[in-house]
């Protein structure tokens, strides 16, 4: 298996623009996590899906952020409009389940908003 | 509620020396504990995990960790550091009946030649 795939790997955009980050889960995994990593705040869980259903979005910073799972193997994280403080590395991770199961992380998308 | 504390945001060791990275946790349910490693410009990858079986857990690349309930600790060790071990290491806790990992703030390991 190719592992978790994220695209793009790097994104540079101007403030106010819409940004869409993409994630392809490992085949057979049913749990999907979106994280954001910054120097100041470390690794933060943004949202968790189980079987395509959002279970916990309490980590989503504000209404500018939205995430979807249109099917069992694919997810998007959208920021509209983007702001400089959204600059971070965004990771998605998938797993076979919860709690005891290892999370497999993608390589991340480095977002820079100018 | 669960939390993780990693003592020391930066640790330096000489090549060949013992590596000790500290992790303390708190959990209101029986914990599951993980160590992940992150190399530059990469995602996190699992080193090892404890899920209530043996308290001494062996992982990849010669790392191991011991679950000590009395001390609420899960420290990561490696007998002899290698230059390729230079990376950031994250401890994480989850628990029965939960789905979230709570990650620590990370420890950046530097290996000196």
């Amino acid at each position: 298996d190719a592992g978790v795939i994220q695209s793009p790997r790097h994104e540079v955009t101007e403030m106010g623009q819409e940004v869409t980050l993409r994630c392809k889960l490992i085949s057979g995994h049913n749990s999907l996590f979106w994280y954001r990593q910054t120097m100041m705040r470390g690794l933060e869980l943004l949202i968790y899906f189980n079987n395509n259903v959002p279970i916990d979005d309490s980590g989503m910073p504000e209404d500018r952020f939205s995430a979807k799972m249109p099917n069992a193997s694919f997810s998007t994280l959208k920021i509209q409009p983007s702001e400089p403080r959204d600059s971070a590395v965004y990771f998605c991770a998938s797993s076979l389940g919860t709690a005891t199961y290892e999370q497999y992380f993608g390589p991340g998308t480095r977002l820079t908003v100018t | 509620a669960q939390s993780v504390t990693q003592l020391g945001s930066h640790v330096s060791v000489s090549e060949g020396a013992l590596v000790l990275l500290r992790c303390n946790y708190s959990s209101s349910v029986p914990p599951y504990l993980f160590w992940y490693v992150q190399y530059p410009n990469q995602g996190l990858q699992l080193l090892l995990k404890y899920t209530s079986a043996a308290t001494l857990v062996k992982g990849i690349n010669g790392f191991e960790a011991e679950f000590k309930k009395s001390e609420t600790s899960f420290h990561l060790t490696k007998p002899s550091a290698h230059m390729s071990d230079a990376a950031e290491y994250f401890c994480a806790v989850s628990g029965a009946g939960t789905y979230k990992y709570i990650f620590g703030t990370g420890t950046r390991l530097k290996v000196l030649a």
Side-chain angles (χ1 to χ4, degrees):
Chain A
D1 202 310
V4 175
I5 299 172
Q6 290 188 248
S7 64
R9 291 295 310 276
H10 302 272
E11 177 79 39
V12 180
T13 191
E14 292 183 347
M15 183 174 62
Q17 296 299 305
E18 177 180 298
V19 175
T20 299
L21 311 182
R22 295 174 176 80
C23 174
K24 184 176 187 301
L25 287 69
I26 292 173
S27 177
H29 284 192
N30 65 356
S31 294
L32 184 279
F33 304 81
W34 279 103
Y35 291 91
R36 177 171 68 176
Q37 186 179 38
T38 61
M39 290 291 292
M40 292 298 294
R41 300 174 69 92
L43 200 60
E44 304 172 274
L45 177 65
L46 299 178
I47 187 168
Y48 159 63
F49 290 86
N50 183 249
N51 293 323
N52 305 356
V53 176
I55 303 299
D56 182 356
D57 65 356
S58 60
M60 296 286 262
E62 47 198 275
D63 292 346
R64 298 184 297 107
F65 285 68
S66 62
K68 293 182 180 179
M69 275 199 78
N71 58 56
S73 61
F74 184 72
S75 178
T76 60
L77 177 67
K78 184 178 294 185
I79 308 172
Q80 165 63 18
S82 58
E83 297 183 2
R85 60 189 166 130
D86 302 330
S87 297
V89 180
Y90 291 81
F91 291 102
C92 68
S94 71
S95 75
L96 281 168
T98 57
T100 63
Y101 291 98
E102 172 184 359
Q103 292 187 15
Y104 292 78
F105 281 75
T109 295
R110 182 175 296 277
L111 173 65
T112 302
V113 183
T114 60
Chain B
Q2 297 172 304
S3 67
V4 169
T5 302
Q6 290 185 243
L7 295 175
S9 58
H10 291 81
V11 170
S12 292
V13 300
S14 298
E15 191 174 20
L18 172 72
V19 176
L20 171 60
L21 304 183
R22 299 177 186 275
C23 173
N24 288 88
Y25 71 91
S26 69
S27 179
S28 54
V29 297
Y32 303 136
L33 293 155
F34 307 81
W35 276 101
Y36 280 79
V37 61
Q38 185 179 29
Y39 298 103
N41 301 314
Q42 294 185 27
L44 282 69
Q45 60 187 90
L46 184 71
L47 274 178
L48 49 80
K49 66 178 181 181
Y50 166 79
T51 55
S52 75
T55 56
L56 182 62
V57 182
K58 295 187 183 299
I60 62 171
N61 302 337
F63 284 94
E64 63 182 36
E66 186 171 8
F67 171 69
K68 291 187 177 180
K69 185 177 179 180
S70 61
E71 299 177 9
T72 61
S73 69
F74 191 58
H75 302 330
L76 182 70
T77 61
K78 182 174 181 178
S80 176
H82 192 273
M83 297 297 287
S84 61
D85 295 327
E88 188 154 21
Y89 292 80
F90 292 89
C91 182
V93 64
S94 69
T98 71
Y99 60 85
K100 274 186 181 179
Y101 279 28
I102 305 299
F103 281 92
T105 51
T107 297
R108 190 170 296 276
L109 176 67
K110 186 174 181 179
V111 181
L112 307 171

